[in-house]
Every structure is written in C-alpha cells, then in structure tokens.
Amino acid sequence: MADPIVFSGSPLDRADPRRRQPDWLHARLADEETRVLPVWRGNVLVRETDGAPRLAWATPEVCVEGGPEPVFLGIADDRAHFAADLSPLADPVDERGWQDVASFPELRAIAGQLSPGDAAIAAQARHVVDWHVRHAFCAACGSASRPKDGGWARLCADAACAAEHFPRTDPVVIMLVVDGDRCLLGRGSGWPHPFHSALAGFVEPGETLEEAVAREVEEEAGLQIERVRYLASQPWPFPASLMMGCTAQARTTEIEIDRDELDAADWFTRDEVRAALAGPTERLAVPPPMAIAHHLIRWFADGGDAE
Ligand SMILES: [Zn+2]
C-alpha cells in the first residue's frame, strides 16, 4: 500500500492501563493541559487552518455539565486526550462561541482532507462515542448501564446483573476478484452509472474471512472463487465497521448478480481500471482514495495478481 489508509495511523498511545485508574482520569479532566475533542451527533469539531480542516481541540471545560462522560482516547506529547459528546446541546457552535472559528462538518465528507493522524483520531472518537449513544441500556437485562474504564466499557447498573459490555467492531470483508488481466467490480443498488466498487459484506458469526469472501462473491455475483488473500484493513466508523480488504482468484467467470444487492457487475480490464483511476471514463468511475476499495483497485492497476 503506497498511500496511508484513511483512518489508520493514530499518533495517540491508547495507554490502556490508564483507563482503569479513575483518579488519574479525574485529575486529567481537571487539568488545563488536557485536550478534549468535541463530538456532536457523529461529527468532530474542526477548524480551517491554511485551507485544510484540522481537529479543533478544546479544554475539559467544554464538557456538558451532567452530560455524557468524556471518553479517554490516549496520550500524545505528555497530554491526555479525550472525546466529549456534546450531542445534548442543540447548537454547540453557538453555545460555545465557535461561530467563525470551528464547525462540525460531516466526517465522511472531510476525512480525506484531514491529516492521517487527525482522521484516525476522528474515527476513534466517533466510533466509541457513537457506541455509548446506542448502548445506554444493558443488553442482558435492560437496566441502565454506565461507562467505566475511561469509556472503554459499560457496566450494568443492576448489581444482580452487573454485566460488562465492550465497544463493538463489526468485521466487513471487501474483496477484489481477479481473473487474469481483469477484475470484478459491482454497482450497488441506486449508485449512479458509471460508479463501481469492490464487492463487500459483513462477516457472519462462525465464518472465517476466507469463507465470508467466498459466500459474498457467490451471493452477489454468482461466482466461485479461490486463493483469498488479505491485503489491508481500514477502520470505518459509520458506525462501527472494520473493513478487511482481500483479493481472490476467480474459479468461474459467468456473472449472475443478486438484484437486491447490485444494479450491475462486470469485468474490467487493467487498462480500463488504470484509466478510471486517473478520472471517470464512460464505463467506469472508482471510489476516492479515502476508501479501501480504491487501494484494492490500485493494487490491481499496479499489476497485482491473485494467482
Ligand atoms: Zn444488566
């Protein structure tokens, strides 16, 4: 992989042992040196610096009184870093006086413009804050639950249950199927022509990555494959996926698409893919560099071979 995968490469030391030291966490949240990243309804606070978005760090007083507990993200430059969910506020930009200074743009739209480190921190913050929003109640007994370990677990408030819950990450396989000098790309339901990407799907319970790749390709495109190889992965916090990029060799080539999943799927030659990477062609447009599919497609364009 020549370019960094967007959302990878966080500069923070996650400092796991610190998560279980409530006194240390408490002291950090009283420390003006601590950096707090505001998150509001799924997006992080950014400011424009030299024409590019950058994370806009605040101090602990930004947290909502009596609101969600800040999540400990890690340590860098000897300073603790937290994410604070400001979602209870109707308009935090206005209430915190950030007009003309910073805003909460859609993360998916700006991630490719953030520095690699900023994008990785944004992904971590969004993913774990969103998990808390969705898991206010114990999945075992239905009682309220509360955060513990700096936000890296939740504990059921019912002492008789006391179940612990941990942030979930959902594995997704995304795969480029290769047949000699051509690769398989599909157009998802409702995508505009000529946009195509690698096929993808959630790994199911009791499946290996290799089995999930083979099942998804068979379900979506009616093809048999072999030689599944892992290439690279990408955190994808929309809301909680880990994309696992794979390649596979086609064993059959007759495409039969699942119309519920795809509007189209076809074989594209290496030359067609190379042209599309330089800009959309009449037949093919490919995902932008922030998507791991782009990296899989580039791997193939650069001569990658699934043999
Ligand atoms: Zn419970």
Side-chain angles (χ1 to χ4, degrees), residues 37-38 61 93 102-103 116 125 156 167 207 211 232 234 247 305:
L37 180 63
E61 65 221 29
V93 171
S103 62
C156 176
E207 254 181 347
E211 288 165 344
Q234 180 184 40
T247 64
D305 193 327

Side-chain angles (χ1 to χ4, degrees), residues 200-253:
F202 286 102
V203 179
E204 293 190 349
E207 254 181 347
T208 64
L209 295 185
E210 292 84 349
E211 288 165 344
V213 168
R215 176 182 52 74
E216 284 289 342
V217 172
E218 206 278 328
E219 284 175 5
E220 293 191 4
L223 293 175
Q224 307 297 311
I225 57 98
E226 59 193 355
R227 291 197 198 107
V228 176
R229 299 272 184 272
Y230 166 82
L231 209 62
S233 64
Q234 180 184 40
W236 191 253
F238 306 102
S241 294
L242 176 64
M243 310 293 288
M244 291 183 280
C246 297
T247 64
Q249 169 73 34
R251 203 148 55 76
T252 63
T253 57

Side-chain angles (χ1 to χ4, degrees), residues 97-286:
W98 292 324
Q99 305 94 326
D100 307 324
V101 180
S103 62
F104 292 96
E106 180 63 40
L107 177 59
R108 207 190 292 235
I110 58 145
Q113 302 160 51
L114 291 171
S115 71
D118 273 7
I121 293 170
Q124 180 194 10
R126 178 192 152 92
H127 187 150
V128 71
V129 164
D130 180 79
W131 174 72
H132 285 285
V133 171
R134 292 167 190 257
H135 293 81
F137 297 93
C138 174
C141 78
S143 300
S145 65
R146 57 182 165 76
K148 62 175 286 200
D149 296 347
W152 290 91
R154 293 187 73 91
L155 179 67
C156 176
D158 179 345
C161 173
E164 277 189 292
H165 303 278
F166 300 94
R168 62 182 286 176
T169 298
D170 302 329
V172 174
V173 283
I174 178 162
M175 49 277 174
L176 197 68
V177 178
V178 174
D179 174 45
D181 195 43
R182 54 188 196 162
C183 72
L184 177 75
L185 297 173
R187 184 153 55 80
S189 298
W191 294 0
H193 180 82
F195 191 80
H196 289 71
S197 187
L199 304 188
F202 286 102
V203 179
E204 293 190 349
E207 254 181 347
T208 64
L209 295 185
E210 292 84 349
E211 288 165 344
V213 168
R215 176 182 52 74
E216 284 289 342
V217 172
E218 206 278 328
E219 284 175 5
E220 293 191 4
L223 293 175
Q224 307 297 311
I225 57 98
E226 59 193 355
R227 291 197 198 107
V228 176
R229 299 272 184 272
Y230 166 82
L231 209 62
S233 64
Q234 180 184 40
W236 191 253
F238 306 102
S241 294
L242 176 64
M243 310 293 288
M244 291 183 280
C246 297
T247 64
Q249 169 73 34
R251 203 148 55 76
T252 63
T253 57
E254 196 68 35
I255 297 168
E256 189 179 332
I257 63 169
D258 173 0
R259 295 258 163 217
D260 288 338
E261 297 267 352
L262 299 177
D263 283 349
D266 211 342
W267 296 104
F268 293 87
T269 67
R270 221 178 291 265
D271 284 344
E272 285 179 298
V273 166
R274 283 176 186 147
L277 281 168
T281 65
E282 211 161 279
R283 188 164 177 250
L284 180 62
V286 296

